[in-house]
Amino acid sequence: MKVEATRPLARLPDEWVLEVARHGGRSFHGKQVFRWIQARGVTDPLKMSDLPANLRVALSADGLGAALEVADQRRAVDGTRKLLVRLQDGATVESVLIPGVSGRRRMGAEIVEDADAAAADEDEDESEGAEEGPMRVTQCISTQVGCAMGCIFCASGVAGLKRHLGADEIVAQVLAGRSMLDEGERLRNVVYMGMGEPLHNYDATVRSLRLLTHPDGIGFSPRRITVSTSGLVPEIARLGQDFAGQIGLAISLHAADDETRTRLMPINKKYPLSVLMDALRAYPLPKRRRITIEYTLVAGKNDLLLEAKKLAKLLRGLPVKINLIPMNPIEASSLGPPRMEGTLEFQRALLDAGYSCFVRRRRGDDVSAACGQLALLGAKPKVRVDRS
Ligand code: SAH
Ligand code: SF4
């Protein structure tokens, strides 16, 4: 199941330096190749116009491969675009472009209308001038085809793991997404919240983070990237160490006691709440940053007011903000979201306990925007389809 780490489109600058040296190229040529691929999205060596001709030909003969193609794009009425991504072996995953985070917050009501964690944080940090300039877009990306974690409310979990993505396939989603932005939009945040458990595919996830944050590539600031995990404790610690806590962390908690959490998320048997909470306390979070706690509300499973109070107690002392996500119904299960009043009561209890707590509006509902749904649905368009 292991994916080779250094396929051409996953190479870092130093690796390109070694590679071009095999063809007699100089070290700055290696850096140029990296820039062509990762900053400009050009994967045809013959088009890398500042390389010597013989090097272009040699690299072209080796072939860089192509990581993916965007097979389908669905645009929801709220502007969310869901991309159906087809990988080289025909497997499909999904990626979502979510525009318009700024200026949508309903003042005072603590309902945030964006579908991601990090972007909301950025807005809080930099609320001044948020209405100015280009429309900020957040991209949600996948790390696996399916998922091995088996969460019962999740389409990817129900499907099971088909395979890991390589770092090239993870980053290529961002390169493709960036190239598909509408005029006046700018890619601002990346969230690892698509199909799959990023920390189960740790090496490729880390390599993709290094590629995305490299200053000669797209050059994302690590704080604009958030990795979401169901709670793989050893890998949370490793991620904290490998990036000195700079990468944003989101935890899919979904319950405040072990019995309930294990019922929803089998991974809780391996890493129960006490162990997970210790890992969060140990995460080397920079000052003024918070861990995002995701809590998918599933009617009759984890939505009692009592559970909100338990959650408040569990998280006491941790720098967190809480995102409540009414469950998006999935085909494979009869589970669903609680009524809106119940959701707001749950939120109220957490606000009263002193937490930042948002209800995430389900962006792009009309295009099956819940985790894993589009890729698993196949390519049957439900609404308007824009082919790219
Ligand atoms: N595997 C990682 C990241 C991908 S899932 C994780 O679990 O964190 C991204 C988020 O979507 C998680 O918080 C997950 O619990 C949530 N999610 C999955 N299926 C959902 C559904 N049907 N409705 C609402 N949220 C869902
Ligand atoms: Fe995997 Fe996340 Fe879905 Fe759980 S919620 S099955 S960890 S993708």
Side-chain angles (χ1 to χ4, degrees):
M1 176 94 37
K2 204 149 177 73
V3 173
E4 193 204 330
T6 47
R7 288 200 296 240
L9 299 181
R11 285 184 191 134
L12 286 155
D14 290 350
E15 292 158 346
W16 273 117
V17 168
L18 295 177
E19 185 59 25
V20 301
R22 289 198 316 117
H23 299 296
R26 314 264 302 274
S27 69
F28 69 91
H29 294 139
K31 294 188 175 141
Q32 281 170 326
V33 176
F34 179 80
R35 222 171 289 137
W36 275 109
I37 297 169
Q38 300 297 343
R40 304 185 203 167
V42 172
T43 54
D44 177 358
L46 297 176
K47 292 191 180 143
M48 299 179 182
S49 52
D50 55 3
L51 295 184
N54 59 342
L55 184 56
R56 272 182 264 160
V57 172
L59 291 177
S60 175
D62 286 354
L64 302 190
L68 52 80
E69 65 165 317
V70 176
D72 194 2
Q73 180 188 174
R74 296 173 186 204
R75 188 179 287 260
V77 285
D78 64 9
T80 300
R81 274 99 78 196
K82 188 136 191 171
L83 314 181
L84 181 69
V85 169
R86 183 163 298 130
L87 306 167
Q88 287 299 291
D89 63 354
T92 52
V93 293
E94 64 197 32
S95 182
V96 190
L97 292 169
I98 308 151
V101 165
S102 56
R104 284 179 183 248
R105 187 183 305 269
R106 226 189 283 167
M107 295 302 287
E110 293 273 1
I111 292 184
V112 68
E113 298 201 339
D114 58 296
D116 84 284
D121 241 357
E122 297 304 335
D123 268 8
E124 282 166 39
D125 295 348
E126 300 166 27
S127 49
E128 293 306 316
E131 323 289 325
E132 308 274 315
M135 176 67 88
R136 294 167 181 179
V137 176
T138 294
Q139 185 171 9
C140 173
I141 58 174
S142 294
T143 54
Q144 295 178 319
V145 184
C147 182
M149 300 299 131
C151 305
I152 62 170
F153 50 82
C154 172
S156 306
V158 172
L161 179 65
K162 306 284 185 300
R163 72 167 172 93
H164 292 310
L165 298 197
D168 50 351
E169 294 167 320
I170 299 172
V171 172
Q173 293 169 60
V174 181
L175 293 171
R178 197 182 55 159
S179 75
M180 294 171 75
L181 293 178
D182 289 347
E183 205 171 312
E185 288 183 334
R186 192 161 59 93
L187 192 59
R188 174 142 166 117
N189 297 87
V190 170
V191 293
Y192 285 61
M193 290 185 187
M195 294 178 88
E197 167 51 57
L199 298 188
H200 182 214
N201 186 12
Y202 189 79
D203 291 345
T205 292
V206 163
R207 180 173 277 270
S208 71
L209 290 167
R210 297 211 186 287
L211 290 164
L212 289 175
T213 56
H214 198 287
D216 291 336
I218 297 183
F220 255 103
S221 153
R223 54 194 286 275
R224 299 210 184 285
I225 303 181
T226 297
V227 170
S228 175
T229 177
S230 55
L232 271 57
V233 164
E235 286 77 16
I236 291 172
R238 274 178 80 189
L239 187 74
Q241 272 168 15
D242 287 349
F243 291 91
Q246 293 294 316
I247 298 287
L249 185 65
I251 300 294
S252 294
L253 204 59
H254 309 323
D257 67 79
D258 280 322
E259 203 186 323
T260 309
R261 192 164 192 267
T262 300
R263 231 180 281 139
L264 294 170
M265 310 173 70
I267 189 68
N268 192 66
K269 265 183 274 174
K270 196 163 176 193
Y271 304 116
L273 281 167
S274 58
V275 177
L276 179 56
M277 289 301 131
D278 283 346
L280 299 192
R281 274 186 278 273
Y283 194 75
L285 206 62
K287 275 204 183 68
R288 295 187 60 242
R289 303 242 24 218
R290 290 179 288 174
I291 294 172
T292 300
I293 300 295
E294 295 163 280
Y295 195 105
T296 295
L297 285 160
V298 186
K301 297 286 178 197
N302 64 356
D303 61 337
L304 293 178
L305 207 50
L306 183 75
E307 290 172 306
K309 291 180 181 155
K310 253 195 251 173
L311 181 63
K313 203 165 158 205
L314 180 73
L315 296 174
R316 191 60 66 215
L318 267 175
V320 294
K321 81 185 172 86
I322 305 167
N323 279 341
L324 300 176
I325 318 155
M327 183 192 157
N328 248 335
I330 58 171
E331 231 166 67
S333 155
S334 58
L335 299 172
R339 286 151 39 114
M340 199 54 187
E341 304 88 88
T343 301
L344 293 177
E345 261 180 40
F346 200 97
Q347 180 194 28
R348 175 52 52 200
L350 291 162
L351 291 174
D352 288 347
Y355 290 95
S356 294
C357 178
F358 304 95
V359 177
R360 270 164 47 170
R361 190 172 66 116
R362 286 178 281 154
R363 298 289 304 270
D365 259 5
D366 49 339
V367 287
S368 304
C371 173
Q373 286 185 26
L374 181 64
L376 296 166
L377 205 69
K380 276 182 289 169
K382 243 178 157 179
V383 290
R384 209 179 109 202
V385 178
D386 296 327
R387 280 181 202 284
S388 54

